Amino acid sequence: MEASNSLKEQPPIIEDDDLETVLLCQKGDVEAFGVLVDRHQKKMLNVAYRMIGDYEEACDVVQEAFLAAFRSVAKFRREARFSTWLYGIVVNCAKNRLIELKQRKARVRSEDFFPEASSGKEGYGCGCQAEPLQEDSVQERLEKKELEARVQECIGLLDDGYREILVLRDIQGLSYGEIADVFKIPPGTVRSRLFRARNSLKDLMRSRIGDFS
Amino acid sequence: MTCRDIEDSLPAYLEGLLSPEESARVRDHLASCPQCRKAIADLERMGTILSGLEEVTPPPWLKQRIMTRVRDEVQPEKGFFRRLFSPLHLKIPLSTAALLIISVLAFQVYRTQETQFHRDGDLHVALPKPALERSMGTQGPHRKDHSRAAIPPAPAVGPSVPRGTTPPSAAKSAKSPQPGLVQPTDQSALRLEQASPPRPDGEGMRDSGKHLSGEEDAAKPRKGAVALAPLPLETLESVGSRKAEEPPVFAAPRPSLSGALSPPMARKKSGDGENTSDSAVTDSGLRGKSASTAEIISLLRQFDASRIERRTSGGMEILTAELPPRQVQALLQRLTGLGITGRAVSIGTADSRAGMVPVRIEVPANR
């Protein structure tokens, strides 16, 4: 009985490439944290961007998230991978930012504040940030850009509980277990929410894009 | 199973998470329903689009900014002061708090200075409040206190006079001590509140008594006077020349006065007027008094007391003397042995010039 209890108390052994660097951070090594930033900033930026739909806001959210992670890195107990823990922080920061943006939008009511996805402010509109696709023709590239902007728009219309799970699973490719760790919910709940999110997004894309298959 | 049910099951069907029976049912339905076939095609296409969404690249400055902020966090001193004073939401409460603290300090300093002023004046009398207020009422309009209206008028007080003389004014106004009046207004000695050990800041006096002085005294505050020291000569003189109807605020014994004591009868006639005597003539002044008072006086002498003075006020015998500081503790012990403790004994602060400690002992007159 005691043995089973002690087994329960011990955190599961998780393979984590970041572990050594995280340990250095926990000892106060600031430069080690720089390594972690280097390693994860792109994934975190993409999650934030897909959740918010605005490149600059997403960059800001990532800054906040990394800063929050640095402040609480001492509390990181290696119960999950560092990246999973970091995803949780980024998702929370992004959700908070979305609430702020909605409130600001309600006050300002300005279309310029939230330009269309193709207006140039967002990641895809900003050519210097998007990874170039040399092989596509200009026409194809424009069509793809247009479609992706509309898909992004539809993602933005998803309910909060669905959006982040869909982003983490279908865009970032996290496993159900990792998503369950991020949100601290059972994997079954992750699945059911994800399936509802997919159906919702499909309906939204049908209504806003038309026939996309 | 309706098309809606099938559609809800399609994501799980695509992931292969349905049971074989459910999968077979969905498959059968899809074979016969073009609408659901379209739905599953849309889902598959959507999955492809989502997984193929172009990734955004972080700007080159992102890591730099993150690390700058992280390094700021690591330097708490700099960050702390910057945060402490720059944002308005912190600055305003800080300013308010500082203002409050300064106000409280200023008030405290004012009160301390007021007390100090009173201490530096030549007289300090810690009278009970009613007597105090009556006395204060004679000092000027700024000392007015409406509460004194409820206080019975104090009897006129004759100034202390040399032995053998009874001032006419004092004789006229002589009355027997009023039993209800605990402390008559003509307290001519320093009344110390219980102060053992004496509080150097004069708090004890501030609490229960105020500085009282005649006009002349007020005009000439004596610097360096010991707060509870016997009264100066000028006071007696000024009081002696005061009009009879104007009750002297303070009629102090004259330490250097070596004249004869007032005869007992004269003392009686003067009622609550106080008679003082120098230590040199204490013996004659003690005639007819209780043995306990004499005992205390002899005790004082044993402890090298000087300027032993004695007077009667409000049915109380008040003995004042000056003692070398080293004898104070021993005297207190002896007095305690005699049952004279608490408010009956008051110790002042040492005179900076003579190094003597004023002592005041109060015992019932019939003791």
Side-chain angles (χ1 to χ4, degrees), chain A residues 26-54:
Chain A
Q26 288 178 328
K27 288 175 186 167
D29 189 341
V30 176
E31 299 314 313
F33 191 76
V35 174
L36 292 173
V37 172
D38 251 347
R39 209 175 278 173
H40 297 288
Q41 61 174 344
K42 187 172 180 180
K43 283 182 283 182
M44 300 306 149
L45 179 66
N46 275 280
V47 170
Y49 174 72
R50 291 299 165 195
M51 283 187 67
I52 296 173
D54 185 295

Side-chain angles (χ1 to χ4, degrees), chain B residues 2-20:
Chain B
T2 62
C3 284
R4 190 69 230 175
D5 294 334
I6 294 293
E7 263 194 59
D8 288 345
S9 307
L10 287 177
Y13 173 76
L14 283 173
E15 294 232 349
L17 293 171
L18 294 179
S19 63

Side-chain angles (χ1 to χ4, degrees), chain B residues 187-248:
Chain B
Q187 285 252 4
S188 58
L190 304 174
R191 178 185 174 90
L192 298 176
E193 290 301 317
Q194 187 170 357
S196 182
R199 293 202 275 178
D201 58 356
E203 281 289 324
M205 291 188 301
R206 190 175 60 201
D207 291 342
S208 57
K210 296 283 182 184
H211 168 230
L212 297 175
S213 92
E215 299 90 336
E216 190 178 338
D217 300 328
K220 294 193 290 182
R222 286 175 60 186
K223 294 277 179 187
V226 178
L228 303 167
L231 296 173
L233 294 177
E234 311 89 76
T235 308
L236 186 62
E237 288 165 1
S238 66
V239 170
S241 61
R242 201 174 284 144
K243 287 187 288 181
E245 57 272 16
E246 182 187 331

Side-chain angles (χ1 to χ4, degrees), chain B residues 169-349:
Chain B
S169 58
K172 268 183 202 171
S173 60
K175 287 176 189 170
S176 60
Q178 295 177 17
L181 199 61
V182 178
Q183 292 288 339
T185 53
D186 63 341
Q187 285 252 4
S188 58
L190 304 174
R191 178 185 174 90
L192 298 176
E193 290 301 317
Q194 187 170 357
S196 182
R199 293 202 275 178
D201 58 356
E203 281 289 324
M205 291 188 301
R206 190 175 60 201
D207 291 342
S208 57
K210 296 283 182 184
H211 168 230
L212 297 175
S213 92
E215 299 90 336
E216 190 178 338
D217 300 328
K220 294 193 290 182
R222 286 175 60 186
K223 294 277 179 187
V226 178
L228 303 167
L231 296 173
L233 294 177
E234 311 89 76
T235 308
L236 186 62
E237 288 165 1
S238 66
V239 170
S241 61
R242 201 174 284 144
K243 287 187 288 181
E245 57 272 16
E246 182 187 331
V249 178
F250 192 88
R254 186 172 178 170
S256 60
L257 191 65
S258 57
L261 285 173
S262 298
M265 285 302 288
R267 235 182 276 134
K268 268 191 179 176
K269 277 189 109 181
S270 66
D272 53 349
E274 291 181 1
N275 297 297
T276 60
S277 64
D278 196 18
S279 60
V281 292
T282 305
D283 282 348
S284 57
L286 285 171
R287 248 176 271 140
K289 294 296 174 188
S290 66
S292 291
T293 312
E295 196 178 325
I296 295 165
I297 290 172
S298 71
L299 196 63
L300 286 168
R301 283 183 177 149
Q302 280 176 32
F303 288 98
D304 306 329
S306 63
R307 303 177 73 171
I308 300 172
E309 296 170 6
R310 171 185 182 177
R311 61 188 174 278
T312 309
S313 176
M316 300 294 284
E317 290 277 347
I318 298 166
L319 295 168
T320 56
E322 290 183 358
L323 254 76
R326 66 178 188 283
Q327 300 284 29
V328 171
Q329 198 56 40
L331 175 70
L332 282 174
Q333 285 172 359
R334 291 291 297 272
L335 287 172
T336 306
L338 291 172
I340 302 167
T341 55
R343 296 174 65 88
V345 183
S346 306
I347 308 295
T349 51

Side-chain angles (χ1 to χ4, degrees), chain A residues 55 124 131 176 206 211, chain B residues 7 15 38 42 54 56-57:
Chain A
Y55 184 79
Y124 290 105
E131 287 180 345
Y176 290 118
R206 261 190 200 166
D211 187 7
Chain B
E7 263 194 59
E15 294 232 349
K38 170 83 173 128
D42 283 351
E54 199 173 343
V56 288
T57 311

Side-chain angles (χ1 to χ4, degrees), chain A residues 30-31 38 45-46 50 55 64 67 71 124 129 131 148 176 195 198-199 202 206 211-213, chain B residues 7 11-12 15 17 38-39 42 45-46 52-59 63 67 69 71 73-74:
Chain A
V30 176
E31 299 314 313
D38 251 347
L45 179 66
N46 275 280
R50 291 299 165 195
Y55 184 79
E64 294 294 329
L67 203 62
R71 285 175 188 150
Y124 290 105
Q129 307 302 343
E131 287 180 345
E148 289 188 352
Y176 290 118
F195 297 157
R198 282 175 181 167
N199 272 333
K202 179 199 69 185
R206 261 190 200 166
D211 187 7
F212 58 89
S213 54
Chain B
E7 263 194 59
E15 294 232 349
L17 293 171
K38 170 83 173 128
D42 283 351
R45 171 72 181 137
M46 186 188 77
L53 282 175
E54 199 173 343
E55 283 192 325
V56 288
T57 311
K63 186 195 169 188
M67 293 313 292
R69 291 181 69 180
R71 287 189 187 100
E73 291 271 321
V74 176

Side-chain angles (χ1 to χ4, degrees), chain B residues 26-93:
Chain B
V26 170
R27 231 182 348 260
D28 292 345
H29 182 87
L30 287 174
S32 59
C33 179
Q35 196 180 341
C36 288
R37 275 203 303 276
K38 170 83 173 128
I40 199 168
D42 283 351
L43 274 174
E44 284 174 325
R45 171 72 181 137
M46 186 188 77
T48 310
I49 290 171
L50 289 177
S51 58
L53 282 175
E54 199 173 343
E55 283 192 325
V56 288
T57 311
W61 47 260
L62 184 62
K63 186 195 169 188
Q64 194 184 341
R65 281 194 192 172
I66 291 166
M67 293 313 292
T68 304
R69 291 181 69 180
V70 163
R71 287 189 187 100
D72 280 350
E73 291 271 321
V74 176
Q75 296 171 339
E77 295 86 8
K78 195 179 172 185
F80 173 76
F81 281 110
R82 198 182 294 162
R83 283 199 302 275
L84 191 65
F85 293 109
S86 57
L88 205 62
H89 71 277
L90 275 177
K91 212 172 178 181
I92 290 172

